[in-house]
Amino acid sequence: MLSVIYAILFYVATAILVVGVGMKIRSYARSPAPLKIPTTPAPTTVSGVYLRMFREIVFFESLFKANKWIWLFGWTFHMSMWLVLARHLRYFTQPVWDWVVFIQPYGTYAGFAMVAGLLGLWARRFLVERIRYISAPSDHLMLALMVAIGGSGLLMRFVARPDILMVKNYMLGLMRLRIEQLPSDPILLVHLGLVATLMIIFPISKLLHAPGVFFSPTRNQVDNPREKRHLAPWAAKLEK
Amino acid sequence: MAASTSESDDIRKMAHPLEIPRLKCGAMEGLAPFKASPEHQEKLGFPGELVPDWKEKALAKMKELGEKNRAFQVYLDTCVKCGACTDKCHYFLGTGDPKNMPVARQDLLRSVYRRYFTFAGKYFPKLVGARDLTEDVLNEWYSYYHQCSECRRCSVFCPYGIDTAEITMAARDIMDHIGIGMKYSNEIIGKVHDIGNNLGLNAKALRATLEDLEEDLEDETGISVRIPVDEKGADILLITPSADFFAEPHIDGLLGYAKVFHEAGVSWTVSSYASEAANFGLFIGSYEQMREISLRIRKAAQDLGVKRIVFGECGHAWRVGYSFLNTLAGPFDFLDQNYPIPQHIMEFTWDEIQKGTLNIDKSRNDHIRLTYHDSCNVARASRMGDEPGGQFEIPRNVIKAVCNHYFEMDRETTKESTLCCGGGGGLLTDDLMDLRKKGASPRMTAVQQVTEDHGVTHMAAICAICKTQFSKIMPAFGYEMDSIVSVHQLVSNAIILTGQVIDDDEDKSDE
Ligand code: SF4
Ligand code: SF4
């Protein structure tokens, strides 16, 4: 019974995530940037823009310039999260890819760094007056959700291990549209339930910053307005 | 509703230009510039006063902006409230009002966008900080979206490049479309449509003014240096802010351009039809207004048959010139493609200095110990030369070529991190004087630092707004009004024209 409920939950969550984010991306891609507005100094070539984007996404360059504490917590959290996510690939692949095997130990400990980063960010929402002012309840809830996901994951890894083989079997089954038996450890159920929740709220929350950053005109535009005429389709109509 | 222009000096004393204040909730509440009269609104095609169905109209405009401008949508969606921008705005630093923190300023509009256009805001408004669009919200918009100079300092530091200036422009555009416009900007735009410049200086008056300046130049130098108007067939059309024709220290900059053109041996002209570089269409976030004003430049260039367009010293004008002119009024296939279109006067002068056409005596600026204020639109929204960052290097190169005593301000307040003068973005009006003073205090604190450390006496800028703002503001910080100078004023001081006889007495005295 549980297995079926969670299966439905994950199918629905995945559908909402994919369709929701897909629709947002389509909407971003469809609305033109009518003017050249890169924050300068900006790269004058396309490859330069790729490099700028790379530095933003991998190193959080602008954030680093802005505030070292937020950078430290934010960067630690995000990079650890990628490691943790990569580590989780082993529940979805058979045989497990070599590089995923390789990062297992790092991914495990990254779990701690991830939660630490989140707690750091959360502490700032209470301790720094300016950030307390701009925080809405949803900002706190989002952090609570992520901390709970990370915390329950760590608990399973280090304290109350569920039957991992069964979990993996269940996940592989879901990917093949088959419903296998899901272990009924409460922590596992909480962990999975929160992850599904996160997937569902992704397209309607600030988590849209993930696709959004790629569409930010101040970062992704080439600084070449004198050399190349930039014209939005709706603006071209004004010239008729 | 108007600003208190009381002279009571509640300007914050800052230990450091970027010192973060304690939050002072409501400190700038209710401060708002005068509203545009129906006549001025209608001239720009906006409703004369608040329309009865303003709420529906505002929401419809918001929807339209989402479809027409990617930045609007992406920036309203992606902010994670990380807080990195919270201490980056000079108006926040100067006033302590939390609604002047960039993210909080965005939130004034984002909260409404969420309420009407997002799932979370429609069903869980409290949770995500969404709110209904009410008259109070509208008043708050009018107040705080006129406490942003669209300087983009916040966008430098945001991990997603969220540019509050884009949100401010959108908000002003929405307000214009429901009948609430700002007097200062909208009245000025109307003058440009009617007469061709912000001042309402007609062709005759312009010609007379420039003739007077030619005479002054001849008296001063003994050489006839021309400042031509509407001269058909000239090579270069100079587009310069109209303040250059009458305000101090702007005029001295204009004289500098004239001397450089003269020595370079090029023919040039200003146009009485497009006698304005400033384009306040940018400030009110109106693509259409910006385009109409820009098209005057195209028409003038075609009518006069020039080969090149050169822009004078003006910050936001250079943003529109460099970044948008090709989009708004291009393509410029009728101009000489061997030169940048348009070119900045600073690029022109630096080329001439490198070619060695100018005879420069740096010691003629020895009475000045100088620092340089990067104007925000030049620094963060444009470029000069071929390399990124040329907008920082080229003006400094020119300055160092004409000036012996040059000192940089705190690096956290220069180049891409420069602090706004406090009067940009359409806020250069007396009804906002209180805000202008407070917003200038971070920059002025940085100036005071170099004065203490290096005995700096003057600051140069290449923006008409900065120059006007500083000549008003600097006295409140213990400087002379004329402590703010044009870069081309320094060039003008240092150039010795071909055939000009320098007698040593006059050498030291004039400035
Ligand atoms: S820095 Fe950017 S993402 Fe962070 S709070 Fe400011 S606008 Fe939002
Ligand atoms: S654009 Fe400039 S004035 Fe406006 S919020 Fe950002 S930093 Fe402040």
Side-chain angles (χ1 to χ4, degrees):
Chain A
M1 185 59 198
L2 259 180
S3 308
V4 177
I5 294 175
Y6 270 76
I8 295 171
L9 181 64
F10 269 99
Y11 285 136
V12 170
T14 310
I16 292 180
L17 175 72
V18 172
V19 174
V21 173
M23 276 168 55
K24 268 293 174 188
I25 289 181
R26 198 176 66 166
S27 158
Y28 293 158
R30 277 195 177 168
S31 62
L35 292 164
K36 280 281 193 172
I37 58 167
T39 309
T40 59
T44 54
T45 59
V46 175
S47 51
V49 164
Y50 281 117
L51 195 68
R52 180 183 205 179
M53 273 302 196
F54 179 83
R55 291 197 311 265
E56 285 296 355
I57 288 156
V58 178
F59 302 118
F60 297 6
E61 185 182 38
S62 296
L63 186 58
F64 184 78
K65 275 192 268 180
N67 188 306
K68 300 294 184 280
W69 284 112
I70 304 178
W71 179 86
L72 179 71
F73 295 136
W75 191 81
T76 307
F77 155 57
H78 281 86
M79 294 304 135
S80 312
M81 181 193 70
W82 287 119
L83 263 178
V84 170
L85 280 177
R87 189 186 93 82
H88 278 69
L89 282 176
R90 76 180 179 127
Y91 305 123
F92 301 88
T93 50
Q94 184 64 27
V96 179
W97 304 325
D98 284 350
W99 68 270
V100 178
V101 174
F102 174 76
I103 60 161
Q104 286 309 307
Y106 306 102
T108 310
Y109 291 103
F112 287 104
M114 176 175 141
V115 173
L118 284 166
L119 291 176
L121 290 172
W122 205 354
R124 289 183 61 82
R125 291 213 182 275
F126 289 104
L127 299 178
V128 181
E129 194 185 32
R130 287 169 286 127
I131 303 185
R132 196 181 331 134
Y133 181 90
I134 60 168
S135 299
S138 56
D139 298 310
H140 288 284
L141 279 180
M142 189 67 76
L143 282 161
L145 179 62
M146 306 281 297
V147 169
I149 291 174
S152 55
L154 286 173
L155 271 181
M156 280 188 287
R157 180 69 185 77
F158 294 100
V159 183
R161 289 189 160 225
D163 186 336
I164 289 296
L165 282 179
M166 248 176 112
V167 176
K168 175 157 182 174
N169 205 29
Y170 180 77
M171 288 302 168
L172 287 174
L174 283 187
M175 290 167 67
R176 286 165 186 74
L177 304 184
R178 261 193 337 250
I179 301 179
E180 304 283 348
Q181 190 65 27
L182 179 68
S184 56
D185 307 44
I187 307 182
L188 175 71
L189 297 180
V190 167
H191 187 71
L192 294 180
L194 294 177
V195 170
T197 311
L198 188 74
M199 290 164 72
I200 290 169
I201 60 173
F202 198 109
I204 54 163
S205 70
K206 66 177 182 179
L207 297 179
L208 284 171
H209 70 278
V213 63
F214 294 96
F215 290 93
S216 172
T218 57
R219 293 293 182 267
N220 74 9
Q221 286 187 337
V222 182
D223 176 23
N224 61 354
R226 289 195 289 197
E227 293 77 18
K228 199 159 168 269
R229 186 160 190 239
H230 173 92
L231 197 63
W234 65 260
K237 292 203 186 102
L238 299 176
E239 297 184 1
K240 294 273 157 59
Chain B
M1 284 292 274
S4 83
T5 38
S6 76
E7 290 304 314
S8 70
D9 269 335
D10 50 351
I11 302 171
R12 208 160 82 81
K13 291 276 171 292
M14 304 172 81
H16 179 267
L18 303 177
E19 192 193 38
I20 302 168
R22 294 299 311 257
L23 298 192
K24 275 194 267 167
C25 290
M28 301 304 278
E29 205 172 63
L31 175 89
F34 297 137
K35 291 191 177 146
S37 67
E39 178 204 342
H40 292 132
Q41 282 287 95
E42 279 155 12
K43 180 171 263 168
L44 308 190
F46 301 133
E49 50 194 36
L50 189 64
V51 293
D53 55 345
W54 62 270
K55 197 172 136 181
E56 289 69 33
K57 285 261 158 58
L59 294 175
K61 186 71 193 169
M62 255 168 122
K63 183 157 184 287
E64 183 194 324
L65 285 171
E67 286 158 7
K68 283 168 103 174
N69 184 355
R70 180 182 297 166
F72 184 74
Q73 235 192 89
V74 172
Y75 292 162
L76 289 180
D77 277 345
T78 49
C79 171
V80 297
K81 312 289 168 81
C82 70
C85 61
T86 51
D87 57 348
K88 303 301 181 244
C89 178
H90 53 288
Y91 290 121
F92 170 67
L93 296 177
T95 66
D97 189 323
K99 286 181 184 149
N100 277 328
M101 299 191 293
V103 47
R105 195 187 311 286
Q106 299 157 25
D107 275 348
L108 300 176
L109 198 136
R110 182 178 288 117
S111 54
V112 173
Y113 165 83
R114 284 207 168 142
R115 183 76 181 96
Y116 297 94
F117 298 99
T118 69
F119 178 88
K122 277 182 196 158
Y123 301 104
F124 310 99
K126 284 263 157 30
L127 194 67
V128 296
R131 55 181 188 164
D132 292 336
L133 179 53
T134 62
E135 213 147 320
D136 286 343
V137 170
L138 191 59
N139 287 333
E140 202 176 41
W141 281 6
Y142 190 74
S143 172
Y144 286 100
Y145 285 119
H146 290 106
Q147 298 188 39
C148 169
S149 57
E150 304 174 345
C151 77
R152 312 184 94 205
R153 188 166 194 268
C154 44
S155 85
V156 170
F157 297 99
C158 172
Y160 316 111
I162 295 176
D163 181 3
T164 315
E166 289 291 314
I167 305 297
T168 294
M169 290 171 193
R172 293 185 188 174
D173 197 25
I174 293 168
M175 289 188 282
D176 270 332
H177 277 87
I178 58 173
I180 304 185
M182 187 212 197
K183 175 171 186 277
Y184 173 69
S185 293
N186 290 5
E187 197 176 325
I188 279 182
I189 294 173
K191 276 190 214 157
V192 177
H193 291 328
D194 284 349
I195 300 167
N197 56 58
N198 287 6
L199 299 171
L201 205 64
N202 64 29
K204 208 169 138 219
L206 178 66
R207 210 165 284 125
T209 310
L210 297 184
E211 270 167 22
D212 283 350
L213 288 176
E214 281 180 346
E215 276 171 31
D216 291 350
L217 257 180
E218 184 154 7
D219 288 347
E220 182 204 318
T221 63
I223 308 284
S224 152
V225 176
R226 300 213 43 223
I227 306 179
V229 187
D230 293 335
E231 211 154 87
K232 285 214 166 149
D235 284 342
I236 293 175
L237 169 63
L238 176 77
I239 300 291
T240 208
S242 55
D244 282 359
F245 304 132
F246 92 111
E248 286 292 351
H250 311 60
I251 292 182
D252 302 297
L254 177 68
L255 300 184
Y257 321 150
K259 287 187 186 175
V260 171
F261 286 139
H262 177 90
E263 288 298 293
V266 293
S267 64
W268 67 289
T269 183
V270 296
S271 152
S272 63
Y273 176 74
S275 44
E276 183 60 70
N279 190 328
F280 281 25
L282 173 73
F283 296 157
I284 63 166
S286 166
Y287 188 98
E288 291 76 13
Q289 292 298 326
M290 208 158 42
R291 179 166 176 270
E292 260 187 68
I293 296 171
S294 296
L295 284 171
R296 295 182 80 93
I297 297 175
R298 180 187 181 86
K299 185 169 184 319
Q302 281 174 325
D303 290 351
L304 294 169
V306 297
K307 301 196 182 76
R308 304 163 63 177
I309 297 176
V310 171
F311 269 68
E313 296 182 5
C314 183
H316 83 280
W318 182 237
R319 177 179 195 185
V320 179
Y322 172 85
S323 294
F324 306 158
L325 196 67
N326 199 3
T327 296
L328 297 168
F332 289 96
D333 36 17
F334 58 92
L335 295 177
D336 186 342
Q337 304 297 313
N338 293 316
Y339 299 95
I341 305 166
Q343 192 175 27
H344 196 283
I345 185 70
M346 214 53 76
E347 296 177 306
F348 185 91
T349 299
W350 178 232
D351 278 350
E352 295 303 318
I353 290 175
Q354 284 176 303
K355 280 194 269 173
T357 24
L358 309 179
N359 181 10
I360 288 167
D361 176 3
K362 285 168 97 167
S363 70
R364 291 169 67 84
N365 280 315
D366 274 354
H367 57 294
I368 286 175
R369 296 177 73 80
L370 190 76
T371 190
Y372 175 67
H373 166 78
D374 289 279
S375 300
C376 29
N377 277 298
V378 174
R380 289 185 282 260
S382 81
R383 175 161 55 98
M384 292 177 196
D386 298 327
E387 296 296 322
Q391 70 270 34
F392 310 136
E393 298 319 317
I394 291 177
R396 284 173 171 77
N397 291 345
V398 170
I399 286 173
K400 287 176 192 161
V402 299
C403 212
N404 278 317
H405 310 297
Y406 174 69
F407 306 92
E408 286 284 348
M409 283 182 278
D410 186 334
R411 178 62 181 88
E412 284 185 293
T413 73
T414 61
K415 301 188 176 176
E416 78 285 353
S417 304
T418 189
L419 288 160
C420 170
C421 63
L427 308 186
L428 193 75
T429 168
D430 283 349
D431 31 328
L432 293 176
M433 190 54 86
D434 184 36
L435 178 78
R436 284 168 55 189
K437 274 192 194 161
K438 289 174 177 160
S441 54
R443 165 50 80 222
M444 288 314 302
T445 306
V447 179
Q448 284 165 336
Q449 280 183 342
V450 281
T451 295
E452 270 170 40
D453 295 347
H454 305 290
V456 161
T457 56
H458 289 72
M459 175 161 68
I462 54 169
C463 169
I465 290 176
C466 295
K467 292 174 201 172
T468 304
Q469 160 78 348
F470 283 125
S471 61
K472 276 260 170 77
I473 293 303
M474 286 181 88
F477 291 84
Y479 291 85
E480 299 293 328
M481 233 177 110
D482 59 4
S483 301
I484 178 75
V485 295
S486 303
V487 170
H488 272 78
Q489 174 179 357
L490 302 166
V491 174
S492 173
N493 288 351
I495 286 189
I496 298 174
L497 298 171
T498 314
Q500 182 180 354
V501 187
I502 303 291
D503 67 61
D504 274 339
D505 304 338
E506 168 223 51
D507 206 15
K508 288 272 140 47
S509 62
D510 69 2
E511 182 190 309

